[in-house]
Amino acid sequence: MIPDSSPRPPWAGRNYSLLTTAAVVTSLGANGSLIAAAFAVLDTGGDGGDVGLVAAARTLPLVVFLLIGGAVADRLPRHRVMVAANALSFVSQAAFAALVLMGEPRLWQMMLLTALGGTGQAFFSPAAEGMLLSSVQGEHAGRAFALFRMATQGAALGGAALGGALVAAIGPGWVLAVDAACFAFAGALRAFLDVSHIPPREPGTGMLADLRDGWREFIGRPWLWGVVVQFSLVNAVVGAGNAVYGPLVARDSLGGAGPWGLALGAFGAGTAAGALLMTRYRPRRLLLAGTLAVFPLALPSAALAVPVPVGVLYGVMFVAGATVEIFGVSWMTALHQEIPEDKLSRVAAYDWFGSVALIPLATALAGPAQSAFGRTPALWGSSALIIVATALVLLIPDIRGLRRRDTTSKPSADAEGPLRGRGGRHGVGVGDGVGRADELA
């Protein structure tokens, strides 16, 4: 067992500390590998369409297996699901790195290996979100989530900047190898997570019953499915921009992988700054504040459409990262506050499923859209779609009305009243007395 003697706040338990450390390690590797995968394709003579196909190959199995992954994570010990998923990601990234280092990998090989990584993420993400949400309690939850995101986004800053520099200096293969090592180390840490606080599942339920139960929890809360629909569009265009258009604009106008890596690093710095802000800022209307903060996420696509000078792009990316983090922390706090613990992973799976469902299509069509309409109109269209989707979700009363409880007590699975079905309080909140990620938000 890992000793439990490190200094930390009383609300930051052992699980929270292990989860944060492991997430920092994987965030360092993953943000560098995003750049490395794109330039590995371009270095073999591939074009924007090929980059999009490799990116889509990762997200397609993520979409296909997410719901199953959520049901499995609420049925089996979550830490075992996470470790197994990390092992699969380690194998796939190590093989990808070996192919790149040994010669010219073929497109189908890169697609296959990234698909294996996406499969691992499909099982990992619901288990990880459920584990994190159950690792903190009470009024410190918002601060805990903000510090977690600040740590991981700070690692994203370093990973993206270092990854871009290493891709330019020594090539993408070594960056992919570092990412594989990060998965191995993080998986070893997650093996020590404690799941004894999670009540055992009642016997007799099957996988389909679990999925139906999770669907009822999801569809019965307008604020939940409304934001997921919103981010299915937002994440799709942001994903296409990061995976396809960004590297192409960087190659043609910004100076290559190094400046694009710094731009992604600026976004990571912004998210770290936004998370730092959220350790102090506690909006009462969680989702109203979070949703308003999504609008600046339209700025990076607009900046790439111009394209603006590199320095301006860095500033735009920083602002977008800082504001979207307000949403990220508010969203996690709302889920922690409103969703019963025994259903966290299943609800998280529907959240993830909706949020990434359109990314494979968007990344696969990014290249053809550029050919048909031009890169600049495609990027302006991305910005417009983010603005429209975010404005529409504000029409949902729950988005405007769901409020933070001063003391977070988890709703039970058989709770009645306003927390069941509609998922929030409207008008005057009960108990508060006063009249919303990733990778992408």
Side-chain angles (χ1 to χ4, degrees), residues 137-141 282 284 336-337 404-410 425 430-432:
Q137 297 179 355
E139 60 182 325
H140 298 293
R282 290 169 51 86
R284 284 202 178 273
H336 176 269
Q337 175 177 292
R404 178 193 301 269
R405 292 197 293 277
D406 289 336
T407 301
T408 302
S409 57
K410 296 292 293 178
R425 287 145 305 153
V430 177
D432 58 17

Side-chain angles (χ1 to χ4, degrees), residues 128-366:
E129 187 162 334
M131 198 74 193
L132 177 64
L133 292 175
S134 68
S135 69
V136 294
Q137 297 179 355
E139 60 182 325
H140 298 293
R143 177 177 294 179
F145 299 144
L147 288 174
F148 174 86
R149 293 178 68 93
M150 182 171 64
T152 55
Q153 300 297 356
L157 162 65
L162 183 60
L166 289 176
V167 168
I170 61 177
W174 290 109
V175 179
L176 293 168
V178 169
D179 187 35
C182 289
F183 276 119
F185 182 70
L189 288 178
R190 288 165 176 144
F192 291 97
L193 291 168
D194 180 11
V195 295
S196 60
H197 66 288
I198 300 176
R201 293 291 312 280
E202 295 182 5
T205 59
M207 184 74 69
L208 291 179
D210 288 346
L211 292 175
R212 287 195 299 267
D213 197 20
W215 174 252
R216 285 192 295 268
E217 291 288 335
F218 173 79
I219 202 63
R221 294 173 164 83
W223 62 268
L224 179 55
W225 60 256
V227 169
V228 170
V229 171
Q230 171 203 8
F231 267 85
S232 70
L233 300 173
V234 171
N235 286 343
V237 296
V238 172
N242 286 348
V244 182
Y245 295 134
L248 292 174
V249 172
R251 183 191 64 184
D252 296 342
S253 304
L254 303 178
W260 179 238
L262 289 175
L264 293 178
F267 185 90
T271 56
L276 179 61
L277 170 66
M278 292 303 289
T279 64
R280 299 288 184 180
Y281 177 45
R282 290 169 51 86
R284 284 202 178 273
R285 297 182 183 236
L286 286 167
L287 295 183
L288 177 61
T291 301
L292 290 174
V294 176
F295 282 106
L297 201 59
L299 294 175
S301 294
L304 290 172
V306 174
V308 300
V310 171
V312 176
L313 178 62
Y314 295 162
V316 166
M317 296 288 277
F318 180 90
V319 170
T323 56
V324 80
E325 198 62 18
I326 297 174
F327 166 81
V329 175
S330 299
W331 180 245
M332 292 186 72
T333 304
L335 291 176
H336 176 269
Q337 175 177 292
E338 303 295 337
I339 307 300
E341 197 282 333
D342 64 319
K343 296 180 175 63
L344 282 173
S345 290
R346 276 168 286 172
V347 171
Y350 281 102
D351 175 13
W352 273 87
F353 177 82
S355 298
V356 304
L358 295 182
I359 294 178
L361 182 64
T363 52
L365 293 180

Side-chain angles (χ1 to χ4, degrees), residues 5 7 11 41 108 138 144 157 174 242 319 403 416:
S5 59
W11 49 263
V41 177
W108 70 265
L157 162 65
W174 290 109
N242 286 348
V319 170
R403 303 184 184 194
E416 299 295 341

Side-chain angles (χ1 to χ4, degrees), residues 51-73:
V51 174
L53 287 174
V54 172
R58 178 174 182 83
T59 50
L60 182 58
L62 178 61
V63 172
V64 170
F65 293 111
L66 259 173
L67 298 183
I68 298 174
V72 168

